[in-house]
Amino acid sequence: FAFAESSSAPAKKSALEFIQISKDGRHFVEAKSGAEFHPWGFNYDHDAANRLLETYWKNEWDAVVEDFAEMKQLGANTVRIHLQVSRFMKSPTKTNRESLRQLARLLTLAEKTGLYLDVTGLGCYDKTDVPEWYNKLNETQRWDVQARFWEAVAEVCRKSPAVFCYDLMNEPVLTEDKKNRDWTPGAFGDRYFVQRLTLDFAGRTPKEIAEAWVNQMTASIRKHDKRHLLTVGAIPWALTWPNVKPLIYSPEVSKNLDFVS
C-alpha cells in the first residue's frame, strides 16, 4: 500500500527517531542518538461519547487533530490506538483499504505532532460490530485472518518513525469454550477487551498455543517490517501469584517479541 496525503508543500521531515531496544536489553532507545526513550502518554480508544476511534476518525478528523495537539501539550510522547478487526477486514481475505488510508493519515499526523503510536490490533471491543463470518471461523482460519490484518497494517506503517510498537493483541486469553464458542469472554462495561486465542486446546498446552500464535503473527508483520518493535499486552499474573506459570512472557512464547507490555 502507498498511502499519503496530497499537499503542494514539501513534506516536513519528522523529528522522531525510530525506537529500538538497547544493547543491554534494559531500555528503549532512539536509534540514532542512543538516548533512552520512556513511553508516556494516553490510551486513545474512544471519545467523550464512548465512540471507538474508527467510527469517527474520518468524518471528524479535526477532532482527532485537536486531541493529538492536546496530548502533546500535556506532555505525552506516546499514544496507544486500538484497531478493530471489523474495520480493517471486509472478509477473510479482503482488507479495508479506506481504513488503511486513514491509518496512514494518522501516522502522518503523529509524525507532525511528534507523538509515537502504540498500534494495538485485532480488537473486538464492540461485540455488536464483530462480523458474524469472523466468529464462525475455526481457529486456523481465524489466525489466518489475524495474520492478514497484521500484514496489511505493517505494510502501511513500515516506513514511519512514529510507530513505537505493534501490540499484537490486548491481553489474549487461554481458556476453552467448546460449547458456546465465545471468542470474547468477560465484558468490562460495554466493551470486550480480551479474547481467546482458541476455543479448544486439542491436546496442546496453553504455552504451545500461545507460542504458535505469536510466531504466526510476528512472521506476518516481518514480511514487510523488520524494524519496529513487537509486543503483546499481558497481565503478569505469575509475578503476583506464586503458583501461576508465566505464559506470554515465558522464553518460549516471547522469543520473537521485542518485549512484553
Side-chain angles (χ1 to χ4, degrees):
F1 303 94
F3 299 136
E5 290 196 80
S6 59
S7 173
S8 57
K12 182 179 179 181
K13 187 176 180 180
S14 174
L16 298 176
E17 292 189 34
F18 285 88
I19 302 300
Q20 61 188 34
I21 303 294
S22 61
K23 291 182 179 179
D24 64 5
R26 297 177 60 85
H27 306 284
F28 301 115
V29 295
E30 297 178 353
K32 290 183 179 180
S33 68
E36 287 190 19
F37 173 75
H38 303 276
W40 173 261
F42 297 91
N43 262 312
Y44 188 63
D45 61 332
H46 67 278
D47 67 358
N50 202 28
R51 298 179 302 169
L52 294 174
L53 174 62
E54 294 145 319
T55 64
Y56 66 88
W57 66 342
K58 181 181 179 182
N59 295 333
E60 300 175 34
W61 177 248
D62 288 347
V64 178
V65 174
E66 291 174 6
D67 288 343
F68 267 62
E70 185 175 0
M71 287 187 284
K72 180 68 174 180
Q73 186 179 18
L74 289 169
N77 61 21
T78 306
V79 177
R80 186 185 184 203
I81 61 170
H82 301 254
L83 307 182
Q84 313 299 302
V85 172
S86 62
R87 301 289 170 166
F88 281 80
M89 298 299 300
K90 287 187 172 183
S91 76
T93 58
K94 187 177 181 181
T95 58
N96 187 324
R97 294 184 63 84
E98 182 178 3
S99 291
L100 291 166
R101 282 192 291 268
Q102 198 66 15
L103 176 59
R105 192 181 189 189
L106 194 70
L107 284 168
T108 300
L109 173 63
E111 291 176 13
K112 290 179 178 178
T113 311
L115 289 170
Y116 288 95
L117 298 181
D118 172 335
V119 182
T120 299
L122 302 180
C124 293
Y125 299 162
D126 185 349
K127 204 161 190 172
T128 61
D129 197 37
V130 178
E132 185 176 357
W133 60 260
Y134 186 53
N135 282 331
K136 288 184 176 181
L137 299 177
N138 62 35
E139 177 191 299
T140 299
Q141 294 167 332
R142 189 176 174 95
W143 288 16
D144 286 346
V145 171
Q146 293 172 349
R148 293 185 191 104
F149 168 102
W150 274 121
E151 185 175 351
V153 169
E155 193 170 4
V156 172
C157 297
R158 60 195 172 97
K159 293 183 179 180
S160 175
V163 175
F164 163 50
C165 66
Y166 300 116
D167 185 343
L168 302 184
M169 182 185 284
N170 182 73
E171 299 171 10
V173 174
L174 266 298
T175 58
E176 295 180 295
D177 189 1
K178 301 176 185 178
K179 181 179 179 180
N180 297 318
R181 289 187 50 82
D182 185 2
W183 289 99
T184 51
F188 187 78
D190 61 349
R191 299 281 188 245
Y192 293 78
F193 290 101
V194 302
Q195 59 185 294
R196 292 185 170 95
L197 296 184
T198 186
L199 299 176
D200 184 352
F201 286 177
R204 301 164 296 173
T205 66
K207 187 174 289 185
E208 288 171 337
I209 296 168
E211 180 181 0
W213 179 80
V214 167
N215 290 348
Q216 184 172 347
M217 298 307 115
T218 56
S220 68
I221 291 173
R222 291 306 187 211
K223 287 180 182 179
H224 300 289
D225 188 342
K226 302 184 185 303
R227 186 166 197 172
H228 288 118
L229 302 179
L230 305 181
T231 186
V232 174
I235 300 177
W237 299 118
L239 300 182
T240 302
W241 296 341
N243 295 328
V244 176
K245 296 180 180 180
L247 185 59
I248 298 297
Y249 40 99
S250 66
E252 298 89 347
V253 177
S254 64
K255 64 179 180 293
N256 287 321
L257 300 174
D258 294 289
F259 67 101
V260 177
S261 50

